[in-house]
Amino acid sequence: MRKNTLTALAAIGLSAAVVAALTGCGTAGASGGSTAGPMPKLGAKEGSVSILAWPGYVENGSNDPKVDWVSTFTKETGCKVDAKTFGTSDEALNLMKTGDYDVVSASGDASLRLIASGDVSEVNTKLLKNYDGIYPFLKDRAWNTVDGKHYGVPHGYGANLLMYNTETFPTAPTSWDVVFDKASEHAGKVTAYDSPIYIADAAVYLMAHKPELKIKNPYALDQKQFDAAVSLLKDQRGNVSEYWGDYLKEVQSFQSGDSVVGTTWQVIQNTLAGEGGKTAVTLPSEGATGWSDTWMISSKAKHPNCAYAWLDYISSPKANAQATEFFGEAPSSAKACDYRSDCASYHAGDADYASKIWYWTTPISKCLDGRTDVKCVDYSAWTTAWQQIRN
């Protein structure tokens, strides 16, 4: 499972070139990104493909003989898979710069940086027979499309939900106020996701409760809006039992009673429910943040034809179902649920539900909400602020 998905950038930092490039990309109508054009047509497959992925995305049966969708890919295409997993988006970014990998699974906090630095290529979706079967609400989004150019194929998605102890909350909460304005009522038992991107969760809450701030996009915060979100999180800090990045830590925290309310993933609730946990989850009235991962092809790919073959295969209904079910997220393929029995719990294909999710997108100085009269606070500043909140 994903661990500490968004780690602090302060330790690694963004290069000046990438920061400069990021000011010019970030929305489907913005400029910027790799100059490498898409492959015009497919050629002979090279016999192998090197894939960089989140744990659980490229399983070949070596971890569990019953969990294997890679062997079928190799049998069907002749492309042998050499896979390497990473633990954080920053690790993936650094590894992609080596040029040693053909394909990467990128979360929204990484995809724009990969595009801006020229490390990934535009993808010719016309060469992918399974692309049409992907849910429309995952296509042409700010984290996978720049200046109308597609830079990858959606894989899976999920929301950062509100989890609560059903004994502590016999009536299900309907607002994030239980972890913000009302957090003191459960002081020392509130939990939150450990990442600078969690600042966006505070911004989502302020969008609904502080309309005078005029926040339109939680990843596009000018200085005043950003300061308000940081202030809210500093107020919350005294009530937080722990910040979690490893999902097993949150499972244990709710099992022990150290935490009774906080952010979570559906897969964590499924794990707790399977072990008799007294928890439930909800998508609060304000909406929530979330993630939508994208399969992207390196601009230095040594095996581009096998890379395209992988993107097409992993977005096919059965393979997409296997991979996303194992990881614990909703699939991107509209027909993947024909091969899964748990799609309802993930609200797979529910466009209305998905519209309430603000998917992780790298904050950049060029405001993602379209404003041009102000500069927005970029991710490096989010990282600095998060360290101040955390410590």
Side-chain angles (χ1 to χ4, degrees), residues 331-347:
S332 62
S333 170
K335 294 184 178 180
C337 290
D338 292 344
Y339 300 91
R340 288 179 59 172
S341 61
D342 63 345
C343 275
S345 68
Y346 290 94
H347 299 269

Side-chain angles (χ1 to χ4, degrees), residues 129-353:
K129 65 179 184 294
N130 289 303
Y131 187 76
D132 288 344
I134 292 173
Y135 293 126
F137 57 80
L138 296 178
K139 299 177 181 178
D140 304 307
R141 302 303 298 269
W143 58 88
N144 59 34
T145 303
V146 174
D147 196 21
K149 299 176 181 178
H150 305 291
Y151 283 88
V153 177
H155 174 71
Y157 68 99
N160 295 312
L161 301 168
L162 175 64
M163 175 177 279
Y164 57 95
N165 181 295
T166 53
E167 291 184 337
T168 304
F169 296 89
T171 299
T174 59
S175 169
W176 287 108
D177 61 3
V178 293
V179 300
F180 290 123
D181 290 336
K182 297 181 180 179
S184 61
E185 296 178 12
H186 306 284
K189 293 195 173 184
V190 175
T191 187
Y193 189 55
D194 191 2
S195 166
I197 210 69
Y198 184 63
I199 294 172
D201 291 59
V204 168
Y205 181 73
L206 292 173
M207 286 173 68
H209 297 274
K210 295 286 185 180
E212 62 271 20
L213 289 171
K214 299 180 179 179
I215 299 174
K216 302 299 182 183
N217 182 321
Y219 306 104
L221 305 177
D222 61 36
Q223 194 63 55
K224 181 179 179 181
Q225 296 166 337
F226 182 76
D227 289 346
V230 169
S231 177
L232 182 62
L233 291 173
K234 286 182 176 178
D235 289 342
Q236 180 198 54
R237 178 67 183 94
N239 301 304
V240 172
S241 54
E242 66 176 357
Y243 293 97
W244 65 275
D246 181 343
Y247 88 105
L248 290 175
K249 283 188 65 177
E250 188 176 43
V251 169
Q252 294 167 356
S253 184
F254 271 87
Q255 286 176 328
S256 67
D258 289 341
S259 295
V260 298
V261 67
T263 52
T264 196
W265 299 333
Q266 183 64 51
V267 66
I268 297 176
Q269 167 59 20
N270 293 351
T271 299
L272 283 164
E275 297 178 2
K278 298 176 181 179
T279 59
V281 295
T282 186
L283 181 69
S285 59
E286 299 92 352
T289 60
W291 74 89
S292 175
D293 291 345
T294 303
W295 288 106
M296 310 181 88
I297 296 177
S298 171
S299 56
K300 303 173 185 175
K302 298 179 180 66
H303 311 97
N305 292 287
C306 279
Y308 266 81
W310 174 260
L311 262 64
D312 199 29
Y313 171 78
I314 200 63
S315 56
S316 64
K318 186 174 182 179
N320 186 244
Q322 290 174 298
T324 55
E325 180 177 17
F326 181 71
F327 185 80
E329 61 189 337
S332 62
S333 170
K335 294 184 178 180
C337 290
D338 292 344
Y339 300 91
R340 288 179 59 172
S341 61
D342 63 345
C343 275
S345 68
Y346 290 94
H347 299 269
D350 186 337
D352 181 63
Y353 183 89

Side-chain angles (χ1 to χ4, degrees), residues 37-105:
M39 185 181 290
K41 62 180 181 179
L42 296 176
K45 297 182 181 68
E46 302 86 358
S48 65
V49 62
S50 180
I51 302 176
L52 188 62
W54 288 111
Y57 272 21
V58 186
E59 292 294 314
N60 62 5
S62 59
N63 292 319
D64 183 341
K66 297 179 181 179
V67 182
D68 180 6
W69 48 90
V70 171
S71 295
T72 300
F73 167 74
T74 298
K75 183 178 180 180
E76 291 181 356
T77 66
C79 299
K80 181 180 178 181
V81 173
D82 179 15
K84 179 179 176 60
T85 60
F86 57 85
T88 70
S89 287
D90 286 335
E91 184 183 350
L93 286 164
N94 288 334
L95 288 170
M96 282 300 289
K97 290 184 182 302
T98 67
D100 293 337
Y101 305 94
D102 301 307
V103 176
V104 62
S105 64

